Amino acid sequence: MQIKNLLVSVTGAVGAVAMPQYVLQFRQSLAVNVQVVMTKSARRFVTAYALRLLSGRRVITTMFDEGGGLLVPHIELARWADLHLIAPASASTISKASGGAGNDLVSLLCLSCKCPTVFAPSMNGAMWANTLVQRNIERLADAGYYFIEPQQGLEVAGMEPTLGVMPPPDVIIKYIKALPEKAGS
């Protein structure tokens, strides 16, 4: 799949600490334009300034983009994007999306994007294996959303090996490039 405009939603999973490097690689190898949005929880792990430096664009952090030039961010960004990537996708974000919630910018984007939406989950292995999380993923997959399987690796928060680690940028890029051209959610 060819992508000019990549919308990256960063959520409050510990994997967010690595997102500046991911954004840089997405910009170099995947899309001409990378627009980052962040949840409030994501800002506990990574700064909007770091992501702005590497994306080359102002990072949007609320559904009310006061002073940023977007009248209705979730509508304008949904129209702009060729692909919406949620990375890292926390269990909370997956749950909100599965239930159709629209109480923050990322969940509103899940509802309003007509382009493909790809989730790159990142969470504790016990959370990843939880039946409720798996049901939410199945529900979203059935609705046409895409999921990149997390990998086995060292859980940053607990420093233990676990299944639930977000794949490296090259794996995400390869996955996205392999999507069919007419993919959509």
Side-chain angles (χ1 to χ4, degrees), residues 119-130:
F119 289 80
S122 174
M123 63 192 74
N124 170 278
M127 292 169 68
W128 172 253
N130 185 287

Side-chain angles (χ1 to χ4, degrees), residues 121-174:
S122 174
M123 63 192 74
N124 170 278
M127 292 169 68
W128 172 253
N130 185 287
T131 303
L132 295 174
V133 171
Q134 292 303 312
R135 280 188 198 153
N136 288 334
I137 290 168
E138 287 174 24
R139 187 173 180 183
L140 287 164
D142 288 345
Y145 294 86
Y146 297 90
F147 282 83
I148 300 172
E149 290 288 318
Q151 296 186 339
Q152 185 76 31
L154 189 62
E155 176 191 11
V156 177
M159 299 307 285
E160 297 176 357
T162 189
L163 174 62
V165 175
M166 186 170 60
D170 61 317
V171 172
I172 294 173
I173 290 166
K174 183 177 178 182

Side-chain angles (χ1 to χ4, degrees), residues 86-100:
I86 303 171
S90 66
S92 177
T93 298
I94 291 168
S95 176
K96 284 183 195 181
S98 174

Side-chain angles (χ1 to χ4, degrees), residues 44-134:
R44 310 275 282 167
F45 296 103
V46 64
T47 67
Y49 184 72
L51 294 170
R52 184 178 97 192
L53 286 175
L54 296 169
S55 70
R57 300 175 70 94
R58 187 179 154 275
V59 175
I60 301 168
T61 59
T62 71
M63 60 184 155
F64 306 106
D65 186 41
E66 296 173 12
L70 296 176
L71 187 59
V72 185
H74 67 280
I75 300 299
E76 293 176 57
L77 292 172
R79 289 180 183 147
W80 173 86
D82 296 319
L83 187 127
H84 179 207
L85 172 65
I86 303 171
S90 66
S92 177
T93 298
I94 291 168
S95 176
K96 284 183 195 181
S98 174
N103 63 343
D104 64 18
L105 181 56
V106 174
S107 60
L108 286 169
L109 286 165
C110 286
L111 294 171
S112 56
C113 281
K114 292 181 181 176
C115 65
T117 296
V118 176
F119 289 80
S122 174
M123 63 192 74
N124 170 278
M127 292 169 68
W128 172 253
N130 185 287
T131 303
L132 295 174
V133 171
Q134 292 303 312

